[in-house]
Amino acid sequence: MDRSAADMTDVEARSLGHVLRDGLAGLNAVQAARCLVALAALLLVLVTLDPFPDLRSEDVATVVGGRMALTYVCWGLLAGVAVLFVAATDAPSLKSLVTPLHLCLVGWMLINIVFSESRGVSIQRFVLAASVTSIAVLLPLLPPTQRSFNVCLGGAALVLLTLCYIGVFLAPQYSIHTALDITEPQLAGDWRGSFGHKNVASPVMTILVYLGIYLSAVGSFVMGPAIALLAGIFLIFTGGKTSSVLCLAIYALASLVYVTRSLWLKRIICFAPLIVMNLLTVGSVLSPSLGSVTRLLPVDPTFTGRSDIWEFALAAVAEKPIIGHGYAAFWDDVTERQTAKGSEWAVTAAHSHNSYLDLAVTIGLPGLLLVILIFVFAPLRNFQTVQAHNRSNALGKLFLTIWLFGLYFGTTETFLLERQNPVWFMFALAAAGLHFLARFQCVEPMEPDR
């Protein structure tokens, strides 16, 4: 086993070296710097500054001030540099982001923070979220060619996979859940890699599977299959049921959308199952009729008792349906809330296990509506435009698949607008990529300049 791991790591290292050399060849200093900023951002969100947390330590949940400060500084600097680079050479692309809907969302977030139950917490976390989201949105514009963009994605994926596999084989106590974990010892044996939880590792591995398929489609016949295979194997061993089921299902759904020409048919294909999933999960709590249907299903869409936390979250929405409780400020301490009484699940949960419901709790129904308009409806319309103009269809399909996966993953987990969450980062990147592809022609892979 150790020898196989060493051989695999050696192959990955050689492949990464070839990709970096071939893909970045011919770039000048500024172009190379743009690629480095993109690569640094991808590694910062995927690997983080604190990989392989020791879940056996009682201090694992303690926020270290200095480490968090460094995280804020790194993201702030990267976002600032990214804005400067893009403003210097891609001003039209940057201006295209200034739309009434985008401005309304930013304005609403500011209003929400002013009326937050914990204004200081909301401000602090919004600053980080704004930095992370900014660089995610601008990342498709940083590499000067499509080939260099592929290199950044593939290189970051290989670094992450290498670290995760090294951790599993050489330091399993830091990369696999154990029975000695302070929280959730029942997850013992599930792989988590460099992440703090298998529920973060599994969706990231799913996205890397899609990335590997895309790289294979554009001619990377070694790197692409290697990433897809390694990520797929890791995904299986994480034990992440939601991501494992969604992985192939979402790719099949994206492929169906890809060959469908009508925008309305695309909407039905994308959103009808999504609405059904939300009705069978959160909807089963709201409606006794839906609840009875849910109980007749051969599987449990409430995922073993999440109905308790959904009831609690819905009660929280009813308390403040318009303004919400405040961005990222609700779940820190719910033990004293009256609506949590009698529900052990509710008082120990860190979020509502549904991205859409969580936004309704924190930023209110108007904020949820704006997020849906920008991140649910607009990307599909942008993809329709991409296809109509025949612009980089392989890249467009990658963005479409990641976006679709995020929509469905959000029915059971919370990630939308969640600061440095890697799933949110890749989802925002995909949505922004479709936005730019719909408006500007992507540079061909062999061209050295934009």
Side-chain angles (χ1 to χ4, degrees):
M1 182 178 294
D2 290 342
R3 183 176 180 181
S4 298
D7 292 342
M8 178 184 64
T9 302
D10 184 53
V11 169
E12 290 175 349
R14 290 199 305 270
S15 300
L16 178 57
H18 291 156
V19 168
L20 290 173
R21 185 184 67 245
D22 297 340
L24 300 181
L27 301 183
N28 60 39
V30 174
Q31 292 170 334
R34 294 169 70 112
C35 291
L36 288 176
V37 171
L39 185 60
L42 288 166
L43 292 177
L44 184 58
V45 76
L46 294 174
V47 179
T48 76
L49 296 175
D50 187 27
F52 300 106
D54 186 0
L55 302 186
R56 301 165 301 171
S57 171
E58 295 182 355
D59 298 329
V60 67
T62 303
V63 177
V64 180
R67 189 181 302 152
M68 283 305 300
L70 182 59
T71 298
Y72 275 75
V73 169
C74 288
W75 278 114
L77 287 175
L78 284 175
V81 173
V83 170
L84 291 176
F85 274 138
V86 172
T89 57
D90 296 280
S93 299
L94 203 57
K95 290 178 181 178
S96 72
L97 295 172
V98 183
T99 69
L101 270 180
H102 294 168
L103 293 175
C104 283
L105 178 58
V106 173
W108 181 257
M109 293 297 295
L110 295 177
I111 293 172
N112 173 264
I113 290 172
V114 170
F115 292 95
S116 171
E117 293 179 347
S118 301
R119 190 179 305 167
V121 171
S122 292
I123 292 174
Q124 179 181 343
R125 293 175 178 175
F126 179 73
V127 169
L128 180 58
S131 298
V132 174
T133 304
S134 295
I135 197 165
V137 169
L138 296 180
L139 195 139
L141 302 175
L142 285 172
T145 65
Q146 186 176 344
R147 169 171 286 186
S148 57
F149 179 71
N150 297 344
V151 168
C152 293
L153 291 176
L158 277 180
V159 170
L160 175 65
L161 287 167
T162 301
L163 287 174
C164 286
Y165 274 100
I166 288 176
V168 166
F169 290 117
L170 299 183
Q173 68 273 25
Y174 295 105
S175 52
I176 300 177
H177 285 286
T178 72
L180 299 178
D181 290 357
I182 299 299
T183 60
E184 298 184 285
Q186 69 272 18
L187 299 180
D190 291 339
W191 291 11
R192 60 182 176 88
S194 61
F195 300 97
H197 199 282
K198 71 160 191 173
N199 286 346
V200 180
S202 57
V204 170
M205 292 301 158
T206 299
I207 292 172
L208 293 191
V209 170
Y210 301 148
L211 173 60
I213 294 173
Y214 159 71
L215 291 175
S216 302
V218 295
S220 181
F221 300 121
V222 175
M223 187 63 50
I227 290 174
L229 180 62
L230 292 172
I233 293 172
F234 205 98
L235 170 62
I236 293 171
F237 282 99
T238 63
K241 297 181 180 65
T242 301
S243 296
S244 297
V245 171
L246 288 179
C247 183
L248 294 181
I250 292 300
Y251 191 79
L253 192 66
S255 298
L256 181 59
V257 172
Y258 186 81
V259 299
T260 301
R261 295 305 168 194
S262 167
L263 177 58
W264 278 105
L265 280 179
K266 280 184 169 73
R267 286 170 175 163
I268 293 172
I269 294 169
C270 289
F271 302 141
L274 182 66
I275 293 172
V276 170
M277 285 188 67
N278 277 293
L279 288 176
L280 292 177
T281 52
V282 176
S284 66
V285 176
L286 283 171
S287 168
S289 300
L290 287 173
S292 62
V293 172
T294 297
R295 286 189 291 272
L296 294 175
L297 296 175
V299 295
D300 179 16
T302 68
F303 293 87
T304 318
R306 287 184 183 175
S307 54
D308 289 342
I309 190 64
W310 292 333
E311 288 179 358
F312 171 55
L314 286 168
V317 173
E319 290 175 355
K320 294 186 176 182
I322 303 300
I323 199 63
H325 291 266
Y327 172 73
F330 180 79
W331 296 99
D332 283 352
D333 184 11
V334 298
T335 57
E336 299 302 319
R337 295 183 184 273
Q338 186 64 35
T339 48
K341 302 303 182 184
S343 175
E344 180 182 354
W345 212 149
V347 298
T348 58
H351 51 80
S352 67
H353 288 277
N354 183 287
S355 290
Y356 312 101
L357 178 57
D358 212 79
L359 289 179
V361 171
T362 55
I363 63 174
L365 295 176
L368 171 62
L369 177 61
L370 287 169
V371 170
I372 289 175
L373 292 174
I374 295 170
F375 290 105
V376 178
F377 289 154
L380 186 59
R381 187 173 63 249
N382 287 332
F383 180 72
Q384 179 77 355
T385 304
V386 171
Q387 282 194 310
H389 293 86
N390 196 29
R391 290 173 176 166
S392 304
N393 281 332
L395 185 58
K397 186 178 180 181
L398 171 67
F399 291 148
L400 172 75
T401 309
I402 295 174
W403 168 75
L404 262 179
F405 172 75
L407 292 187
Y408 283 82
F409 183 72
T411 61
T412 59
E413 297 294 340
T414 298
F415 77 92
L416 290 174
L417 302 186
E418 190 181 344
R419 307 192 293 285
Q420 73 270 39
N421 186 307
V423 182
W424 163 244
F425 185 93
M426 298 304 294
F427 180 83
L429 188 158
L434 290 172
H435 171 93
F436 294 128
L437 282 181
R439 291 159 178 79
F440 307 99
Q441 177 61 55
C442 184
V443 174
E444 292 300 319
M446 295 304 295
E447 293 180 14
D449 300 310
R450 189 177 294 277

